């Protein structure tokens, strides 16, 4: 990939020609008396500009198409390169979203997987609450065509890449696309999956449990109790793993229950660490997490190997939020030295993210407005 993706080049071509055309017409209007005596010259020049604009549109179209005609490896590389540039502040979030917009039309299911995963990641890291509704229109515009192609229901004999793609599509459309039909479907699926239905793939079952936890409101406490009860009793390792990966609860009582129960069940160190990471990943308001963790932190640390202990500040991701970064610093800054290297890495990463995010806000508002 070059520094300028085809879609960016195409956009700049169109903008330049439109500006040139606008400037020429404006000048003609200001000097209309002079141009009245030279109508043929005006007509010829305007025609040439329109021809140039038409050629530019063809080039722009080819630029988009060239990206779609690339190999699977190059398409995936384009997305990864674009995200790295965004995180460094080298491109705007609009340009990154345009890359996803183009490659969502790819015929490669694996490219679509990367697009969906990136849409979910962007939703967590770069969006604030006020962006979510507008982002939902963007998500639906990009992903509904793929869902129509793969279908909502699993069928026997499908390749693994389509099984994974469907699960992630449904997750993204339910959570960020705010698709009530998909949310209801996943909610119903979660109930069956918890009962031990082995016809549901683990990846789809996991996403169904995640959406159920995210969407749960009044019954959150009952649901989290059920998750732990099944995890403790089931002989199905896939179901147990799915439950551990679905601890996306947000109400304080459920979070407190998770902290308390995790010590009482024979979870491995890796499983306990994953539960913590999911709680911090899902909750953008993290003060309650630190409040409950303060009481049990010694127990948590004692049950973790030194290697896991040393990276805890990186597990407690602030999700590119200033308040969370401050809470992270307050929690770990006075603790033992084993945490300090990881703490500095996480704070530096968050500072970079916050800087980029602040600069991108006006552009993001403008971009998403076009989807409403």
């Amino acid at each position: 990939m070059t520094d300028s993706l085809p879609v960016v080049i195409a956009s700049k071509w169109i903008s330049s020609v439109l500006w040139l055309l606008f400037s020429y017409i404006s000048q003609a209007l200001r000097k209309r008396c002079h141009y009245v005596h030279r109508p043929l010259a005006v007509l010829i020049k305007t025609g040439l500009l329109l021809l140039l604009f038409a050629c530019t549109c063809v080039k722009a179209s080819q630029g988009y198409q060239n990206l779609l005609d690339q190999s699977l490896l190059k398409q995936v590389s384009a997305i990864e390169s674009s995200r790295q540039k965004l995180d460094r502040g080298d491109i705007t979030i609009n340009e990154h979203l345009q890359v996803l917009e183009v490659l969502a039309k790819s015929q490669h299911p694996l490219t679509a997987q990367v697009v969906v995963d990136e849409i979910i990641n962007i939703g967590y890291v770069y969006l604030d609450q006020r962006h979510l509704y507008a982002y939902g229109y963007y998500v639906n515009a990009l992903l509904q065509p793929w869902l129509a192609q793969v279908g909502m229901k699993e069928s026997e004999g499908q390749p693994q890449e389509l099984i994974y793609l469907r699960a992630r599509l449904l997750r993204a459309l339910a959570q960020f696309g705010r698709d009530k039909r998909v949310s209801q479907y996943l909610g119903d699926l979660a109930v069956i999956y918890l009962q031990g239905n082995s016809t549901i793939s683990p990846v789809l079952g996991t996403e169904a449990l995640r959406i159920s936890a995210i969407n749960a409101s009044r019954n959150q406490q009952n649901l989290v109790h059920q998750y732990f009860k099944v995890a403790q009793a089931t002989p199905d390792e896939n179901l147990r793993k799915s439950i551990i990966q679905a601890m996306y609860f947000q109400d304080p009582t459920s979070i407190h229950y998770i902290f308390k129960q995790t010590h009482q069940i024979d979870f491995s160190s890796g499983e306990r660490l994953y539960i913590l990471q999911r709680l911090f990943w899902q909750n953008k308001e993290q003060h309650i997490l630190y409040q409950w963790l303060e009481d049990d932190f010694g127990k948590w640390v004692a049950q973790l190997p030194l290697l896991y202990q040393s990276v805890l500040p990186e597990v407690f991701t602030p999700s590119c939020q200033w308040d969370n970064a401050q809470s992270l610093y307050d929690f770990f800054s006075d603790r033992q030295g084993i945490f300090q290297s990881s703490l500095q890495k996480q704070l530096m990463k968050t500072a970079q993210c916050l800087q980029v995010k602040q600069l991108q806000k006006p552009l993001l508002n403008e971009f998403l407005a076009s989807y409403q």
Side-chain angles (χ1 to χ4, degrees):
M1 292 296 297
T2 60
D3 288 339
S4 298
L5 292 168
V7 62
V8 178
I9 295 173
S11 176
K12 290 181 178 179
W13 276 335
I14 291 176
S15 298
S16 298
V17 173
L18 283 175
W19 180 86
L20 183 61
L21 183 59
F22 176 78
S23 299
Y24 184 83
I25 293 173
S26 297
Q27 184 181 15
L29 288 174
R30 287 195 301 269
K31 300 181 179 180
R32 60 187 182 278
C33 294
H34 177 69
Y35 278 97
V36 164
H37 300 290
R38 295 194 297 165
L40 183 59
V42 174
L43 184 61
I44 291 173
K45 290 181 180 179
T46 303
L48 288 173
L49 283 170
L50 290 173
L51 179 61
L52 177 61
F53 177 69
C55 293
T56 299
C57 289
V58 172
K59 289 182 180 179
S61 176
Q62 290 173 344
Y64 280 89
Q65 191 60 43
N66 286 342
L67 197 55
L68 288 173
D69 288 341
Q70 297 297 317
S71 67
L72 167 64
L73 184 61
K74 288 185 177 180
Q75 288 183 356
V76 171
S77 177
I79 297 171
E80 293 174 348
S81 174
S82 179
R83 178 56 190 265
Q84 290 169 2
K85 291 175 183 178
L86 172 64
D87 290 342
R88 293 195 304 264
D90 295 341
I91 64 171
T92 68
I93 193 168
N94 296 15
E95 291 169 324
H96 183 59
L97 292 176
Q98 285 171 346
V99 172
L100 300 181
E101 188 178 55
V102 172
L103 288 177
K105 300 173 185 176
S106 170
Q107 295 303 307
H108 296 295
L110 291 175
T111 297
Q113 285 183 24
V114 179
V115 169
V116 175
D117 289 345
E118 184 60 13
I119 282 174
I120 293 173
N121 288 333
I122 289 291
Y124 272 106
V125 176
Y126 280 98
L127 298 188
D128 292 329
Q129 191 67 32
R130 63 181 176 276
H131 295 132
L132 291 182
Y133 282 101
Y135 192 59
Y137 289 104
Y138 171 82
V139 172
N140 278 285
L142 267 60
L143 302 188
Q144 287 290 355
W146 263 107
L147 182 61
Q149 185 173 334
V150 303
M152 288 181 65
K153 296 182 179 181
E154 293 182 321
S155 58
E156 190 175 352
Q158 281 193 324
Q160 188 62 36
E161 62 186 34
L162 289 184
I163 293 174
Y164 179 85
L165 174 58
R166 175 187 294 105
R168 296 294 279 175
L169 277 170
L170 292 172
R171 157 78 181 284
L173 287 167
Q175 184 175 359
F176 294 106
R178 297 175 178 269
D179 188 316
K180 294 182 179 179
R181 178 178 62 104
V182 173
S183 292
Q184 183 63 51
Y185 175 70
L186 290 177
D188 295 341
L189 213 62
V191 174
I192 302 172
Y193 188 60
L194 279 175
Q195 295 171 354
N197 189 318
S198 60
T199 64
I200 301 171
S201 69
V203 63
L204 180 57
T206 299
E207 300 300 357
L209 293 178
R210 285 172 172 170
I211 291 299
S212 291
I214 291 170
N215 289 344
S217 52
R218 294 179 181 177
N219 68 330
Q220 272 197 334
Q221 294 166 37
N222 292 333
L223 190 61
V224 73
H225 291 179
Q226 186 181 10
Y227 278 21
F228 273 91
K229 182 179 179 180
V230 175
Q232 194 170 13
T234 183
D236 186 339
E237 286 299 318
N238 285 327
L239 178 55
R240 176 187 170 101
K241 182 179 178 181
S242 292
I243 293 171
I244 290 168
Q245 293 178 347
M247 294 295 178
Y248 280 55
F249 295 92
Q250 296 164 286
D251 75 289
T253 305
S254 294
I255 292 170
H256 189 215
Y257 182 83
I258 292 171
F259 279 137
K260 294 296 183 183
Q261 285 296 114
T262 301
H263 298 300
Q264 300 176 19
I265 297 180
D266 60 339
F267 288 144
S268 68
S269 297
E271 289 172 334
R272 291 190 176 96
L273 199 65
Y274 193 92
I275 290 172
L276 268 181
Q277 199 272 342
R278 291 297 92 182
L279 286 175
F280 277 89
W281 178 248
Q282 178 59 32
N283 288 273
K284 287 199 171 185
E285 295 182 4
Q286 296 175 355
H287 63 280
I288 191 65
L289 298 178
Y290 287 105
Q291 179 181 329
W292 290 123
L293 191 59
E294 185 71 47
D295 297 335
D296 296 322
F297 188 67
K299 294 179 183 178
W300 277 94
V301 172
Q303 294 175 341
L304 296 175
L306 286 177
L307 177 61
Y308 287 173
Q309 292 181 32
S310 66
V311 297
L312 276 179
E314 292 173 82
V315 172
F316 298 175
T317 171
S319 296
C320 205
Q321 301 286 324
W322 168 253
D323 291 346
N324 294 338
Q326 184 64 52
S327 296
L328 177 72
Y329 175 79
D330 292 342
F331 189 83
F332 281 106
S333 60
D334 293 332
R335 297 185 186 273
Q336 59 203 67
I338 192 173
F339 304 121
Q340 298 310 309
S341 176
S342 178
L343 174 62
Q344 293 305 314
K345 288 180 182 178
Q346 183 64 279
L347 291 175
M348 289 178 63
K349 180 180 178 181
T350 303
Q352 173 68 19
C353 181
L354 284 167
Q355 182 181 10
V356 173
K357 183 178 178 180
Q358 187 64 31
L359 292 172
Q360 303 289 355
K361 279 183 180 179
L363 298 172
L364 181 60
N365 292 337
E366 180 183 349
F367 180 84
L368 293 178
S370 65
Y371 276 89
Q372 292 180 289

